[in-house]
Amino acid sequence: MNLIVLDLEWNQASGTRSNPLVPFEIIEIGAVKVNSDWEIEDEFAGLVKPLLYPRLHFKVREMLGYNENYLKKGKPFYSVCREFLKWCGESYRFVTWGEPDLEQLQRNMEYYGVKKLPKPLLYYNLQAIYGRACGLSAACSLEEAAERFGIPADRPFHRAINDAWYTARILQAMGPEQVLDDYTFDTYNNPKNREEELRRQTGDLYQYISREFSDKRNVVRDKEVMAIHCPLCRARVGKKIKWFANNHSVYYCGGKCRSHGYFGGKMKFKSTLSGKVYIIKTLKLTDETGFRALKERQESLRIRRRERNKRQKMLEKKGSDN
Ligand SMILES: [Zn+2]
């Protein structure tokens, strides 16, 4: 299986109305093919002649260092993308630096009528993998990571093909052991029904991506979705911190498995373009300190909520007294 290291450049509306289906129109597709021996085999650079936003946003123009005349040399997205997918071959997985590229690619594909990518779509978010490996708390830029690996900056950054090439060099430097098991499910084309639901377990982490629900109330009524279990052996646990809301879209939980110890959980509510809801649940082993931190977070949120309610009641009382 080959790895297709992908990077895109896109443009957005400038002085015109944005199209909600495609807020970002792809103008460059850059990719580097890395084979199973971890060698760079080929490169792909495609220039797209934009249709939706022919005028470059000033920030994009500045970053790319060219103007609209240069883009006129490009071909329509439909043909560049089809050419690109043909170049990718039969068996491959995408590698990107960060999350948004695959979403924008699929949005543009859908809009321009290119056949959908296979589902479920597994890919490697190298930025996140690198961050986890180095224990970074914030996302690291491509330039910074390339510099840390001592990769010479002899190609200008912020051109799709060059950024793909830097990402491929970082991929090579990290090696298969650090990368291959650490894939991510792309959720642009999220699971629609039970059969399509996604579950995975790697190391001390368990991830579950649910089917679609009509609304949040129906999600929290579902027993399997809400189940708090050990990420390793899936045993339901007695001692636990029940789900509590950090904000309207993120919930946390915790527990202790008799055989594997403490773990923490996170549930993210995601909305689809059609207004449905699905969740991404992650359960991961932690230690006593991590478990205690969860408990403290739950407690401080409870106090904050109680005080907010008290204030609210006082304001209401004032209102009715006047
Ligand atoms: Zn267990």
Side-chain angles (χ1 to χ4, degrees):
M1 186 186 63
N2 290 325
L3 293 174
I4 304 293
V5 185
L6 171 73
D7 191 85
L8 305 168
E9 299 300 334
W10 51 70
N11 184 31
Q12 64 193 79
S14 168
T16 52
R17 273 230 334 247
S18 181
N19 184 322
L21 296 175
V22 189
F24 304 105
E25 185 177 27
I26 292 169
I27 48 176
E28 283 186 25
I29 298 180
V32 172
K33 197 179 275 176
V34 175
N35 65 23
S36 47
D37 291 326
W38 232 240
E39 294 159 343
I40 291 181
E41 205 174 86
D42 200 7
E43 297 187 17
F44 179 95
L47 189 69
V48 176
K49 188 177 167 180
L51 283 177
L52 284 171
Y53 315 122
R55 208 175 125 191
L56 284 175
H57 189 275
F58 76 95
K59 280 187 186 159
V60 179
R61 190 185 300 125
E62 211 171 276
M63 193 176 73
L64 295 174
Y66 56 68
N67 61 22
E68 290 80 355
N69 284 332
Y70 179 76
L71 277 183
K72 283 181 187 154
K73 292 182 201 159
K75 285 189 272 182
F77 178 80
Y78 184 82
S79 48
V80 177
C81 188
R82 290 220 8 207
E83 208 177 294
F84 165 63
L85 292 172
K86 203 174 150 200
W87 174 86
C88 288
E90 284 298 311
S91 167
Y92 65 89
R93 266 187 206 168
F94 285 121
V95 180
T96 58
W97 190 261
E99 235 178 71
D101 290 78
L102 276 183
E103 182 192 335
Q104 299 314 331
L105 177 69
Q106 291 176 92
R107 269 179 181 248
N108 279 252
M109 283 171 69
E110 198 168 341
Y111 185 78
Y112 288 112
V114 184
K115 202 175 143 221
K116 276 187 180 164
L117 294 172
K119 188 176 171 175
L121 183 62
L122 276 54
Y123 76 103
Y124 298 100
N125 177 350
L126 201 65
Q127 187 185 43
I129 298 172
Y130 175 72
R132 277 192 288 275
C134 303
L136 305 176
S137 54
C140 178
S141 75
L142 187 62
E143 287 100 315
E144 227 179 295
E147 202 186 315
R148 283 196 200 185
F149 280 110
I151 298 163
D154 42 19
R155 293 186 179 199
F157 280 94
H158 304 306
R159 292 296 301 271
I161 181 59
N162 296 348
D163 285 3
W165 185 80
Y166 283 114
T167 308
R169 294 291 311 270
I170 294 169
L171 178 78
Q172 286 183 308
M174 288 178 73
E177 299 78 23
Q178 236 177 342
V179 178
L180 280 182
D181 286 334
D182 207 352
Y183 61 84
T184 304
F185 289 118
D186 171 72
T187 50
Y188 175 78
N189 195 4
N190 63 289
K192 302 285 185 282
N193 49 47
R194 261 180 214 278
E195 288 69 49
E196 289 180 2
E197 289 190 332
L198 300 168
R199 295 168 184 84
R200 70 178 284 215
Q201 205 227 311
T202 29
D204 59 358
L205 181 139
Y206 175 83
Q207 195 181 44
Y208 163 76
I209 303 178
S210 79
R211 62 194 180 279
E212 287 182 352
F213 290 85
S214 56
D215 56 39
K216 206 172 152 183
R217 254 183 321 176
N218 282 319
V219 178
V220 298
R221 272 190 204 136
D222 188 279
K223 283 211 173 101
E224 198 205 340
V225 171
M226 301 305 283
I228 297 174
H229 59 76
C230 169
L232 261 64
C233 66
R234 318 261 173 99
R236 303 277 177 111
V237 292
K239 181 179 177 172
K240 63 186 174 198
I241 303 167
K242 284 186 184 166
W243 291 109
F244 63 93
N246 187 54
N247 54 49
H248 69 283
S249 61
V250 176
Y251 283 39
Y252 290 109
C253 77
K256 190 184 179 186
C257 170
R258 275 191 196 172
S259 321
H260 302 107
Y262 293 104
F263 64 87
K266 182 179 180 180
M267 180 151 63
K268 260 197 218 172
F269 288 83
K270 306 279 254 181
S271 314
T272 68
L273 286 175
S274 56
K276 300 251 173 82
V277 185
Y278 68 96
I279 62 119
I280 302 177
K281 177 166 79 174
T282 312
L283 299 160
K284 196 177 185 306
L285 286 190
T286 180
D287 52 12
E288 206 180 336
T289 318
F291 187 80
R292 217 182 297 134
L294 265 170
K295 197 120 200 109
E296 278 161 16
R297 186 176 213 151
Q298 183 189 35
E299 192 48 36
S300 75
L301 284 165
R302 194 180 286 151
I303 293 168
R304 221 191 293 166
R305 196 164 47 235
R306 203 185 299 144
E307 282 177 356
R308 199 171 48 219
N309 288 347
K310 226 191 276 172
R311 269 203 308 274
Q312 187 70 28
K313 270 193 192 134
M314 268 163 65
L315 281 173
E316 277 166 19
K317 190 169 180 294
K318 243 188 197 168
S320 64
D321 285 351
N322 290 337

